[in-house]
Amino acid sequence: MYKVISSESLELRPGGTVKFEGADYGVEASFFQTKSEPGTGSQLHQHPYPETWLVRSGLVRFRVGEDEFEAFSGEIVIAAPNVSHQFVNIGDGLLEMFCVHPASKIVQELVDE
């Protein structure tokens, strides 16, 4: 059996980011398809599971725990469970990434700095 899901049926978030939660389709995986303009990104947060980012295009600065580093198009970044993290587009163009969550529902807790 298979499912084809139209992009129109997925939640569109601010900035053009698409949210997919697998629970809606009987799948144990969720993701954000992120499209971030220069200077924008996520708030500091954490999850009870690891998060994996696939950088499709652009230049991004990550903060994972106490470390800050850059990632480029084609690279994959992984943060461990319960470690605070965030990202910001530091390039001149659109940042496109997939943010993969190995859970049927996205569980996210904001972290105070």
Side-chain angles (χ1 to χ4, degrees):
M1 188 155 140
Y2 67 92
K3 295 179 183 182
V4 176
I5 303 162
S6 70
S7 59
E8 293 83 22
S9 67
L10 299 176
E11 179 184 347
L12 185 62
R13 297 173 58 86
T17 293
V18 172
K19 180 181 181 182
F20 171 87
E21 288 192 301
D24 298 335
Y25 306 95
V27 177
E28 290 294 322
S30 300
F31 65 83
F32 290 109
Q33 181 181 3
T34 302
K35 296 179 182 180
S36 298
E37 294 292 336
T40 65
S42 67
Q43 295 179 286
L44 188 63
H45 64 279
Q46 64 185 22
H47 312 282
Y49 46 74
E51 182 171 4
T52 303
W53 297 275
L54 295 86
V55 184
R56 294 180 36 100
S57 66
L59 175 60
V60 57
R61 178 175 291 126
F62 284 97
R63 176 178 165 192
V64 178
E66 298 299 318
D67 297 327
E68 286 194 24
F69 55 93
E70 296 175 1
F72 305 87
S73 178
E75 294 186 315
I76 298 170
V77 176
I78 303 167
N82 301 307
V83 175
S84 61
H85 55 270
Q86 70 183 128
F87 68 86
V88 63
N89 178 354
I90 60 170
D92 295 330
L94 190 66
L95 168 66
E96 295 189 60
M97 290 192 306
F98 279 95
C99 312
V100 180
H101 299 246
S104 61
K105 287 278 195 185
I106 294 172
V107 178
Q108 182 167 300
E109 176 187 343
L110 294 180
V111 175
D112 292 330
E113 296 209 40

